[in-house]
């Protein structure tokens, strides 16, 4: 069992690094392929996140009691949130050449989740881990070590900016209602389902 409490102190010791030009291009190329089908990809990521880390559902009143992955997948509220997640990530990835823009976007995200939603910041780390798992599976034959390292760097960069925003607003770590599970499971259909263009909500 992987517990959420206590991880914050470990994460504080991580040092974020800016991505090189080659790393930015590697991340953007991979992301472009995912974002071409952003709604279904986002839903698959969130369903996996909530199935494997059910304590995260406590922050979502609309689907916190859902247990069935297929029910989650069909939820309009979950699909809408998936669009928001993918849209925010897209803004970050598209602006990797502009550190100030990335910092501004992630500061807004971090402060909103701290002040309005009261979400433990470690869930950003967990969710980004789910995203990396999905990328590694989907591009198993086209995800070389240098691209993996670039994404790992981006993961650290995002978490660093988000936790800085939490610190700025005086966040005090809460105790979640449940523990998380560290095992990974495929989304219900194993992939992204239909090939749809990204809706305007992204």
């Amino acid at each position: 069992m992987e517990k959420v409490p206590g991880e914050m102190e470990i994460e504080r010791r991580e040092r974020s690094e800016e991505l090189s030009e080659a790393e930015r291009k590697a991340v953007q190329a991979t992301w472009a392929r995912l974002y071409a089908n952003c709604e279904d990809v986002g839903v698959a990521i969130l369903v996996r996140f909530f199935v494997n880390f059910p304590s995260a559902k406590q922050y979502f009143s609309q689907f916190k009691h859902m247990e069935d992955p297929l029910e989650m997948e069909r939820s309009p509220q979950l699909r809408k949130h998936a669009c928001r997640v993918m849209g925010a990530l897209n803004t970050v990835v598209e602006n990797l050449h502009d550190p100030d823009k990335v910092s501004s976007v992630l500061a807004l995200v971090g402060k909103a989740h701290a002040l309005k939603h009261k979400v433990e910041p470690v869930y950003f780390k967990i969710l980004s881990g789910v995203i990396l798992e999905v990328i590694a599976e989907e591009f198993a034959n086209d995800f070389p070590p240098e691209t993996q390292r670039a994404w790992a760097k981006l993961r650290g960069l995002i978490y660093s900016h988000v936790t800085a925003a939490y610190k700025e607003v005086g966040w005090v770590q809460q105790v979640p209602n449940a523990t998380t599970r560290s095992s990974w499971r495929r989304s219900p259909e194993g992939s992204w389902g239909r090939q749809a263009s990204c809706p305007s909500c992204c």
Side-chain angles (χ1 to χ4, degrees):
M1 301 290 287
E2 180 186 359
K3 295 183 70 178
V4 171
E7 290 191 22
M8 185 69 172
E9 193 62 38
I10 295 172
E11 302 301 346
R12 283 197 190 103
R13 296 197 294 267
E14 289 197 351
R15 181 171 58 87
S16 66
E17 299 178 69
E18 297 294 337
L19 278 68
S20 68
E21 183 177 357
E23 288 169 334
R24 290 197 301 268
K25 288 180 178 178
V27 166
Q28 288 169 339
T30 311
W31 178 253
R33 293 161 67 183
L34 288 177
Y35 198 67
N37 192 23
C38 75
E39 182 180 6
D40 287 327
V41 172
V43 169
I45 288 169
L46 286 189
V47 169
R48 177 182 292 205
F49 177 51
F50 291 132
V51 167
N52 287 292
F53 301 95
S55 63
K57 289 187 295 181
Q58 67 185 289
Y59 302 108
F60 299 90
S61 59
Q62 306 98 325
F63 44 85
K64 65 187 298 182
H65 301 299
M66 292 183 185
E67 299 291 341
D68 181 9
L70 287 175
E71 183 183 7
M72 293 183 202
E73 189 176 285
R74 298 187 187 107
S75 166
Q77 293 88 355
L78 187 144
R79 300 191 77 87
K80 184 176 180 179
H81 190 66
C83 281
R84 287 198 293 265
V85 170
M86 295 296 282
L89 278 171
N90 188 60
T91 301
V92 170
V93 172
E94 284 190 339
N95 289 281
L96 286 175
H97 63 282
D98 186 349
D100 289 339
K101 176 69 172 179
V102 169
S103 178
S104 175
V105 169
L106 293 174
L108 289 173
V109 171
K111 289 175 183 179
H113 283 76
L115 297 173
K116 182 178 180 180
H117 307 300
K118 311 296 185 184
V119 176
E120 282 286 347
V122 73
Y123 284 106
F124 283 90
K125 192 73 167 183
I126 296 171
L127 178 59
S128 64
V130 173
I131 294 170
L132 262 63
E133 286 279 337
V134 167
I135 294 171
E137 289 178 6
E138 289 303 303
F139 303 123
N141 299 319
D142 190 19
F143 196 47
E146 57 270 23
T147 303
Q148 295 176 37
R149 286 192 294 269
W151 274 98
K153 260 177 125 171
L154 178 58
R155 181 189 187 193
L157 186 69
I158 289 172
Y159 192 72
S160 176
H161 281 296
V162 168
T163 53
Y166 272 70
K167 183 177 180 180
E168 185 178 336
V169 299
W171 174 262
V172 177
Q173 187 174 2
Q174 309 295 308
V175 178
N177 295 331
T179 56
T180 57
R181 287 163 40 194
S182 58
S183 60
W184 300 104
R185 287 199 283 175
R186 296 286 292 173
S187 55
E189 297 181 359
S191 188
W192 310 131
R194 70 184 185 280
Q195 295 298 310
S197 59
C198 190
S200 59
C201 64
C202 293

